[in-house]
Amino acid sequence: MIQTDSTQVDSLIQQRGNPPADLGAIYEPPAVSFSFDTIGWTVLGGALMLGLLILLFFLIRRYQHNQYRREAMAALQSIASNEQEFSQVFILLKRVAIRTFGREKVGALYGASWLGFLDKTGKGVGLLRYEKQIESLIYQDKVPDPEVRRNILSQAHKWIKTHAG
């Protein structure tokens, strides 16, 4: 067992010879300088700029790709304000679907299969439940009551906004 009292330390000093010298203040190295002049900052800046340019490219491309949606929404607003042109909603939906999915896939659809296609390709769209009112609108030119009309416009709006394509 080692004792650390002062007599033992004094005896160790005497055995070794010289007492420890006063070392003075602790030496500290100079502070490391910081600057943006190193190559790492240039590479990081370049990578960030490249990333921003790529992001901007994809945002512009998506904006241009969705131009047809904005035009369809404007046309839908115009149709909604004119009660006599209400049947044009389905012509507009057909045009948008043909542009998105192609004439071969959409052109021959009508009736329940057409409404089912709209329900399937849009998120949360439920036009098939208004099948009877839509058929009377298209084939007999009967304008549905305001509640059904508002629901059909809402579903058409939802489909234009959310269809996968």
Side-chain angles (χ1 to χ4, degrees):
M1 183 169 181
I2 299 175
Q3 294 179 342
T4 57
D5 61 11
S6 64
T7 58
Q8 186 178 11
V9 172
D10 286 340
S11 67
L12 285 174
I13 291 173
Q14 289 173 0
Q15 289 174 359
R16 298 200 181 201
N18 301 345
D22 183 19
L23 298 176
I26 297 176
Y27 172 75
E28 292 184 24
V32 176
S33 65
F34 179 81
S35 71
F36 290 103
D37 296 337
T38 60
I39 188 72
W41 289 110
T42 306
V43 170
L44 180 64
L48 285 174
M49 288 300 291
L50 181 63
L52 286 174
L53 287 174
I54 290 171
L55 177 67
L56 183 65
F57 170 76
F58 283 111
L59 288 174
I60 290 171
R61 196 170 95 179
R62 189 172 91 193
Y63 179 81
Q64 290 173 340
H65 174 73
N66 286 327
Q67 177 66 30
Y68 77 98
R69 288 183 200 252
R70 289 188 298 281
E71 291 170 357
M73 295 298 261
L76 188 64
Q77 289 292 83
S78 172
I79 292 168
S81 64
N82 188 346
E83 190 173 306
Q84 299 303 320
E85 293 183 4
F86 185 67
S87 63
Q88 297 293 312
V89 169
F90 300 100
I91 295 170
L92 176 65
L93 291 176
K94 189 70 111 170
R95 278 193 356 235
V96 172
I98 287 173
R99 188 217 181 272
T100 305
F101 299 101
R103 186 173 301 278
E104 299 79 30
K105 187 173 184 178
V106 176
L109 296 175
Y110 65 93
S113 62
W114 167 239
L115 296 175
F117 173 81
L118 292 174
D119 288 357
K120 185 177 71 172
T121 56
K123 292 181 182 150
V125 176
L127 282 167
L128 195 55
R129 65 181 147 205
Y130 301 107
E131 180 180 10
K132 297 293 182 209
Q133 293 92 339
I134 292 170
E135 283 180 3
S136 68
L137 169 70
I138 293 174
Y139 299 118
Q140 299 170 3
D141 203 27
K142 291 183 183 176
V143 178
D145 64 73
E147 180 69 25
V148 172
R149 185 175 186 273
R150 187 171 37 256
N151 288 338
I152 290 172
L153 283 170
S154 171
Q155 295 300 315
H157 179 271
K158 190 184 297 185
W159 185 82
I160 291 171
K161 199 166 186 96
T162 66
H163 69 274

